[in-house]
């Protein structure tokens, strides 16, 4: 079980770093696009494709991290009104549903990879000097879904859910969780 926790923790750290890099890249490329378009009247051909690519990776790396940290929006006011035993069952049922959903999405997204490999991101290809296939974007979905499934399995094995103190605590004024 410690090995699972170490592996999942390492994946979480890598995905968090990737999400930070993706967000910074999105911001920089769109600022560059605005400057080039409106100040120099010469828009770039690569910045929007790069921002889109990074946005997909940002989303698909953030979803598993949020799952592992239990930071997704939840109907906790209903969960709090249930007895502890029922709450534990509901946590497992919801986790199994999330696991099944990401397993289905991940397996269906694999079907798109051969199609994506035949398409090119032309703006990025021109900018970097070699062909950049849409696979670079589409592969984020099965990777993110696989890690979401792994983190759901981890939660089921460890029984790690939000603790009672987090569920009953009042949200802080400085932007606490909902």
């Amino acid at each position: 079980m410690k090995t699972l926790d170490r592996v999942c923790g390492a994946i979480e750290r890598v995905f968090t770093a990737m999400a930070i890099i993706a967000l910074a890249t999105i911001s920089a490329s769109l600022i560059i696009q605005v400057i080039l378009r409106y100040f120099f009247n010469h828009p770039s051909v690569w910045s929007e494709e790069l921002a889109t690519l990074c946005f997909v990776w940002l989303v698909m790396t953030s979803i598993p991290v949020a799952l592992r940290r239990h930071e997704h929006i939840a109907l906790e006011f209903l969960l709090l009104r249930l007895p502890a035993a029922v709450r534990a069952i509901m946590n497992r049922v919801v986790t199994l549903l999330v696991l099944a959903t990401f397993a289905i999405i991940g397996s269906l997204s694999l079907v798109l990879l051969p199609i994506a490999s035949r398409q090119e991101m032309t703006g990025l290809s021109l900018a970097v000097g070699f062909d950049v296939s849409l696979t670079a974007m589409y592969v984020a979905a099965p990777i993110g879904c696989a890690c979401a499934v792994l983190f759901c399995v981890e939660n089921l094995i460890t029984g790690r859910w939000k603790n009672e103190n987090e569920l009953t605590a009042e949200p802080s004024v400085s932007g606490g969780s909902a």
Side-chain angles (χ1 to χ4, degrees):
M1 190 140 35
K2 283 196 180 270
T3 303
L4 178 64
D5 187 49
R6 275 193 302 244
V7 168
C8 290
I11 293 170
E12 179 185 354
R13 286 188 295 280
V14 168
F15 273 23
T16 301
M18 289 173 67
I20 291 168
I21 292 167
L23 186 58
T25 304
I26 291 168
S27 300
S29 69
L30 292 179
I31 288 169
I32 290 168
Q33 173 71 341
V34 167
I35 291 170
L36 290 175
R37 180 180 302 254
Y38 293 106
F39 292 108
F40 296 103
N41 200 25
H42 188 7
S44 68
V45 294
W46 54 268
S47 59
E48 291 177 34
E49 283 184 355
L50 179 61
T52 303
L53 173 70
C54 289
F55 179 74
V56 171
W57 276 97
L58 170 68
V59 169
M60 295 312 298
T61 56
S62 298
I63 288 171
V65 170
L67 272 175
R68 186 163 197 258
R69 295 178 182 177
H70 305 285
E71 293 178 346
H72 281 287
I73 295 173
L75 299 176
E76 293 171 352
F77 68 94
L78 291 175
L79 196 61
L80 287 172
R81 286 161 177 62
L82 298 172
V86 176
R87 194 168 32 239
I89 292 169
M90 288 301 297
N91 279 327
R92 283 169 178 72
V93 168
V94 168
T95 301
L96 284 169
L97 289 171
V98 170
L99 186 150
T101 301
F102 280 108
I104 292 168
I105 293 170
S107 63
L108 291 175
S109 67
L110 288 172
V111 174
L112 297 175
L113 293 180
I115 298 165
S117 69
R118 295 189 302 265
Q119 298 176 11
E120 187 179 306
M121 299 180 80
T122 53
L124 279 177
S125 295
L126 287 171
V128 297
F130 57 87
D131 291 344
V132 179
S133 163
L134 268 179
T135 304
M137 185 183 320
Y138 282 35
V139 75
I143 290 172
C145 288
C147 289
V149 166
L150 175 65
F151 292 162
C152 286
V153 168
E154 178 194 26
N155 286 338
L156 288 169
I157 290 171
T158 62
R160 187 177 9 189
W161 320 108
K162 273 192 174 179
N163 66 38
E164 293 297 318
N165 297 333
E166 290 178 17
L167 288 174
T168 57
E170 290 293 319
S172 67
V173 177
S174 63
S177 65

